């Protein structure tokens, strides 16, 4: 058990009080999530279909159901490298996901060059002011596909999914600024800033279509044209057996029938089935705090459980 009253609220200094080790998912640098992820029924089939068809995989489910974790496991198993991530907001644009051109930075560099003969960098080298975004990096030619997570596509502006279709169908895009300046070859920074990649004639064409996972909470309807170009999977409601396996994988804890942990798992599954929005990491956090030496004060145990297992759809 890691629950204790380390902080008492008295203001009395306790400098020699040490906190317990952090939960496995809150240690830094982060432990790869792919080695503990437990795919629900049908998800492996959906992944393999997306891989073979070179189509994006669209996973729909409530927050905290593990939608964004499967790509970590696929990238780990297939050696696809570090996962590229595109976090969608209402302000996200396709242009930013492909590449960014720092026009203001170039103007500033021109002014420095004019005022100082020893100013660093050359404002004439436009490639110095370009950086490929996560999607733009994923579409670079490579011998093996890259893994790209497009997280919460349903939060996007209504036009973004449609704009995305054309790029995903063609597997290529144009860096307009390089074409405008007639740059036949340029070394451009990628989404991984320490990596540069050559771009010829201002055009990027993929040779291996990336493995793309898009997640959705189901908050926005996506068009049939968009949906038919994806392999779709909906996260099923959690089961007691699956949640016990998740607890074992993340915490190294066997959940035995009749134990306090088994009761927490059962209650979690029942609440989800009743329509409440509670996430798997809330269950893991609760078990992590309350596991081990029993909390003798039942009221205290209940307070901790209520604190950590609040319905996410309510304030």
């Amino acid at each position: 058990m890691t629950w204790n009253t380390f902080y008492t609220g008295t203001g009395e200094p306790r400098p020699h009080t040490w906190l317990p080790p952090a939960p496995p998912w809150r240690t830094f640098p982060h432990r790869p999530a792919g080695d503990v992820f437990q795919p629900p029924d049908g998800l492996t089939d959906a992944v393999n279909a997306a891989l073979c068809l070179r189509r994006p995989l669209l996973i729909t489910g409530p927050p905290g159901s593990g939608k964004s974790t499967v790509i970590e496991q696929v990238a780990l198993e297939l050696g696809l490298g570090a996962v590229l991530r595109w976090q969608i907001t209402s302000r996200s644009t396709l242009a930013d996901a492909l590449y960014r051109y720092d026009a203001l930075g170039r103007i500033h560099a021109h002014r420095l060059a004019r005022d100082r003969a020893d100013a660093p960098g050359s404002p004439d080298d436009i490639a110095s002011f370009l950086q490929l975004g996560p999607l733009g990096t994923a579409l670079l030619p490579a011998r093996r596909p890259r893994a790209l997570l497009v997280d919460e596509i349903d939060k996007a502006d209504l036009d973004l999914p449609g704009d995305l279709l054309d790029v995903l169908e063609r597997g290529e895009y144009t860096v307009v600024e390089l074409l405008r300046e007639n740059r036949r070859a340029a070394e451009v920074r990628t989404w991984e800033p320490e990596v540069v990649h050559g771009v010829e004639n201002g055009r990027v064409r993929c040779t291996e279509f990336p493995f793309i996972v898009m997640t959705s909470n189901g908050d926005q309807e996506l068009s049939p044209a968009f949906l038919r170009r994806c392999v779709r999977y909906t996260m099923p409601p959690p089961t007691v057996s699956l949640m016990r396996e998740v607890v074992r994988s993340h915490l190294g804890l066997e959940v035995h029938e009749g134990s306090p942990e088994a009761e927490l798992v059962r209650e979690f599954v029942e609440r989800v089935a009743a329509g409440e929005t509670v996430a798997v990491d809330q269950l893991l956090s609760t078990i992590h705090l309350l596991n081990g030496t029993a909390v003798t004060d039942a009221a205290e145990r209940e307070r901790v459980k209520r604190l950590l297992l609040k319905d996410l759809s309510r304030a």
Side-chain angles (χ1 to χ4, degrees):
M1 180 184 71
T2 56
W3 170 255
N4 205 335
T5 52
F6 302 100
Y7 165 67
T8 61
T10 63
E12 181 180 345
R14 302 168 65 200
H16 301 296
T17 300
W18 297 101
L19 296 177
W25 58 94
R26 292 300 297 167
T27 56
F28 298 90
H30 278 308
R31 172 187 177 187
D35 58 356
V36 293
F37 178 67
Q38 298 295 316
D41 289 343
L43 183 53
T44 54
D45 289 339
V47 167
N48 286 316
L51 287 167
C52 292
L53 294 172
R54 307 305 198 270
R55 291 290 191 184
L57 172 61
L58 175 63
I59 304 179
T60 303
S65 57
K67 303 184 297 298
S68 61
T69 310
V70 63
I71 194 169
E72 298 276 1
Q73 193 170 70
V74 175
L76 177 68
E77 286 193 16
L78 302 186
L80 304 184
V83 175
L84 301 165
R85 298 174 181 273
W86 180 16
Q87 182 67 47
I88 299 293
T89 70
S90 59
R91 300 181 301 277
S92 297
T93 66
L94 178 62
D96 284 342
L98 292 175
Y99 70 91
R100 295 173 182 173
Y101 170 50
D102 185 7
L104 291 178
R106 196 178 187 196
I107 292 172
H108 182 62
H110 269 290
R111 290 175 177 170
L112 282 178
R114 181 188 62 196
D115 298 336
R116 294 172 50 197
D118 61 342
S122 170
D124 295 324
D125 183 15
I126 189 173
S128 301
F129 303 93
L130 290 167
Q131 182 180 15
L132 303 185
L135 177 59
T137 300
L139 291 173
L140 286 169
R143 289 187 298 174
R144 293 184 65 79
R146 291 300 303 267
L148 171 65
L149 174 66
V150 183
D151 207 13
E152 299 189 328
I153 186 68
D154 55 328
K155 287 188 176 180
D157 177 83
L158 292 175
D159 292 332
L160 180 58
D163 295 340
L164 189 56
L165 284 182
D166 183 56
V167 173
L168 295 184
E169 284 298 291
R170 293 186 297 113
E172 63 178 62
Y173 63 95
T174 300
V175 183
V176 177
E177 288 75 11
L178 292 177
L179 283 182
R180 185 182 298 133
E181 301 205 6
N182 198 28
R183 287 292 299 272
R184 295 186 177 275
E187 294 289 319
V188 179
R189 289 177 299 140
T190 69
W191 190 241
E192 299 152 318
E194 70 280 3
V195 179
V196 297
H197 200 284
V199 176
E200 297 183 0
N201 300 314
R203 191 177 300 276
V204 174
R205 290 188 176 101
C206 76
T207 52
E208 281 291 339
F209 189 78
F211 174 60
I212 300 177
V213 171
M214 303 182 187
T215 69
S216 169
N217 295 329
D219 294 335
Q220 178 191 138
E221 288 189 10
L222 300 168
S223 71
F226 182 85
L227 294 176
R228 75 176 178 84
R229 289 171 170 85
C230 301
V231 175
R232 291 178 284 161
Y233 179 83
T234 300
M235 296 293 283
T239 63
V240 169
S241 60
L242 178 61
M243 288 301 99
R244 287 185 176 186
E245 186 60 26
V246 167
V247 171
R248 186 195 64 77
S249 298
H250 283 80
L251 299 177
L253 174 66
E254 297 292 343
V255 179
H256 299 290
E257 193 64 40
S259 66
E261 295 76 32
E263 176 62 22
L264 284 171
V265 167
R266 182 194 61 76
E267 181 180 333
F268 174 83
V269 171
E270 289 177 352
R271 288 179 61 182
V272 173
E276 290 190 52
T277 304
V278 281
V280 173
D281 64 341
Q282 292 175 271
L283 173 66
L284 292 174
S285 296
T286 306
I287 292 178
H288 176 75
L289 282 188
L290 297 180
N291 170 53
T293 305
V295 178
T296 55
D297 188 342
E300 182 181 26
R301 183 181 182 88
E302 188 63 26
R303 287 201 311 271
V304 174
K305 186 173 72 172
R306 286 201 309 269
L307 174 69
L308 298 179
L309 282 171
K310 292 180 179 178
D311 189 337
L312 298 176
S313 64
R314 302 173 185 174

